[in-house]
Amino acid sequence: MARAQNTDVERSLGRRMRGAAGLAALAGLAWVARDVPAALGGRLSGARAERAARSPQFREGTFHNRAGTRTMIAEPGRNLVRELIFGKQKRRPTAPVPLLRPSAGGPDAADTADELNIVWYGHASTLIEIEGRRVLLDPVWSDRCSPSGLVGPRRLHEPPVGIDELPPLDAILISHDHYDHLDMATVRALLAGQSAPFLVPLGVGAHLDRWGVPAERIIELDWSESHQVAGLEITATAAQHFSGRGLRRDGTLWSSWVVAGARRKVFYTGDSGYFDGYAEIGAEHGPFDVTLMQIGAYDRAWPTIHMFPEEAVDAHLDLRGGLFVPVHWATFNLALHDWSEPVDRLWAEAKARDVRLAVPRPGERVVVDEPPAVDGWWQSVA
């Protein structure tokens, strides 16, 4: 009898412990997921929705590219899920990615009239130092590009500097609202530590609103619209991509950017497939001293929304670009190609077509007029 009673007590205690463990696990998941609803961002409403509806890019409730695009093309005999799990591609570096801290220089230097430097922090996050001003592009400092800190693509290298170590900024540009370009935690850190305005495509201001960015620091632009910031003219230009942070697609616009000073000009693609708009932008706004070109996360399953490296060279030439600096590679694993394939293909194409190229390590400052020679640094960690 005593043994049976002990067994019942043990079973009851076991059930209670499992129940407590289950509740603790649920509480832990709830804690981790607490920011997910906010990270999804806001929705267009009121005056913002009315302005979006007047855009030439907006119809039937969503934004559109000039030409038809597809974000996923089925290929007979190819299973992308199986390839993602069992593919033989080397999608991560085999050794730590070398990081540098930006060297001394930049807008604090004595002669800034003709200054133009680029500091690439990884993926698309890049600092433009132009004529004594600083413009930050698509900053993402979080460990994952995801609404959750628990799941989603994780960084393959640390940021080369802390976000609190960034110099004073004059403008922050966002190309579109995907998680690898617009990150809630990074925006909130910049809101607290910087005073620069956020320049964003139409509708993206709804996300910033939800995250506490005041209206006076949000400047929303349609394609071909410009805004003056600290003596710079910043123009939103066309791109061929899509948007969305949840189940709803294309509720905000995507763009490329032109940053023009009195003497120097920079072009940034954002994310985009190759399209005839590059030649139009080059004719209207070029030539450019430097282009910051997306080269990674491509695949033949989505050929119209991300450029292959060879297409990025085509676009650079269409834009009448001077120095080519690749972005959107090395930091997040977002496609099925080898980690180093984008820059290997780019280097070969640039040499074949006599395109000036700089491939900095994350954190390395590129002086556009005296760029470092391409040394293949990534090959030792590929």
Side-chain angles (χ1 to χ4, degrees), residues 29-350:
L29 287 173
W31 176 258
V32 170
R34 69 194 186 281
D35 287 334
V36 169
L40 294 174
R43 296 287 294 270
L44 273 69
S45 62
R48 179 172 285 115
E50 293 172 4
R51 185 182 176 196
R54 295 193 297 269
S55 168
Q57 283 61 250
F58 194 87
R59 59 185 182 274
E60 299 176 352
T62 59
F63 288 95
H64 293 261
N65 291 300
R66 292 176 177 176
T69 58
R70 295 178 63 185
T71 55
M72 191 63 67
I73 298 174
E75 185 176 338
R78 188 183 187 198
N79 186 315
L80 288 174
V81 175
R82 183 182 299 123
E83 190 173 344
L84 177 67
I85 299 172
F86 300 109
K88 302 301 182 182
Q89 299 95 338
K90 298 178 180 178
R91 300 171 61 215
R92 297 174 177 274
T94 60
V97 175
L99 307 178
L100 295 179
R101 296 184 64 83
S103 58
D108 294 329
D111 183 8
T112 60
D114 292 316
E115 178 200 38
L116 183 55
N117 308 317
I118 302 297
V119 182
W120 176 61
Y121 296 115
H123 199 59
S125 302
T126 307
L127 180 69
I128 301 170
E129 299 172 337
I130 177 171
E131 297 178 3
R133 305 301 182 187
R134 298 183 180 96
V135 178
L136 184 63
L137 308 177
D138 284 352
V140 174
W141 256 252
S142 288
D143 190 47
R144 296 183 187 272
C145 54
S146 166
S148 168
L150 188 63
V151 297
R154 194 169 191 174
R155 302 184 70 95
L156 301 176
H157 67 80
E158 293 296 317
V161 298
I163 196 165
D164 58 338
E165 298 177 280
L166 290 175
L169 303 172
D170 294 284
I172 302 162
L173 309 188
I174 306 297
S175 64
H176 63 295
D177 72 359
H178 286 159
Y179 292 101
D180 58 321
H181 295 258
L182 178 63
D183 175 64
M184 180 179 70
T186 302
V187 166
R188 285 178 168 173
L190 291 170
L191 174 62
Q194 299 279 348
S195 60
F198 293 82
L199 279 69
V200 302
L202 286 182
V204 175
H207 302 317
L208 303 186
D209 271 348
R210 184 168 187 185
W211 301 337
V213 179
E216 62 269 19
R217 286 185 65 178
I218 302 172
I219 298 161
E220 294 184 70
L221 299 176
D222 201 348
W223 294 348
S224 299
E225 292 183 342
S226 300
H227 186 80
Q228 298 282 336
V229 177
L232 303 174
E233 183 173 65
I234 299 177
T235 304
T237 43
Q240 185 169 282
H241 199 55
F242 68 107
S243 67
R245 297 176 72 82
L247 297 178
R248 186 168 184 261
R249 291 281 296 274
D250 300 337
T252 64
L253 187 58
W254 46 95
S255 73
S256 56
W257 291 100
V258 172
V259 179
R263 300 173 180 83
R264 313 307 297 264
K265 286 185 179 181
V266 179
F267 177 80
Y268 167 50
T269 57
D271 278 3
S272 179
Y274 179 75
F275 72 127
D276 57 11
Y278 288 122
E280 296 174 11
I281 294 167
E284 182 175 356
H285 297 282
F288 294 97
D289 297 285
V290 59
T291 66
L292 306 172
M293 308 296 291
Q294 169 256 307
I295 67 164
Y298 52 79
D299 194 276
R300 61 185 185 270
W302 51 87
T304 59
I305 57 168
H306 275 186
M307 287 186 286
F308 291 85
E310 296 80 6
E311 291 178 317
V313 174
D314 289 335
H316 170 84
L317 295 172
D318 289 347
L319 290 158
R320 300 192 292 158
L323 181 67
F324 184 126
V325 176
V327 299
H328 207 273
W329 78 284
T331 306
F332 294 110
N333 187 347
L334 302 176
L336 299 172
H337 53 65
D338 285 357
W339 176 81
S340 62
E341 181 185 295
V343 73
D344 283 332
R345 289 174 60 168
L346 170 65
W347 196 12
E349 187 73 6

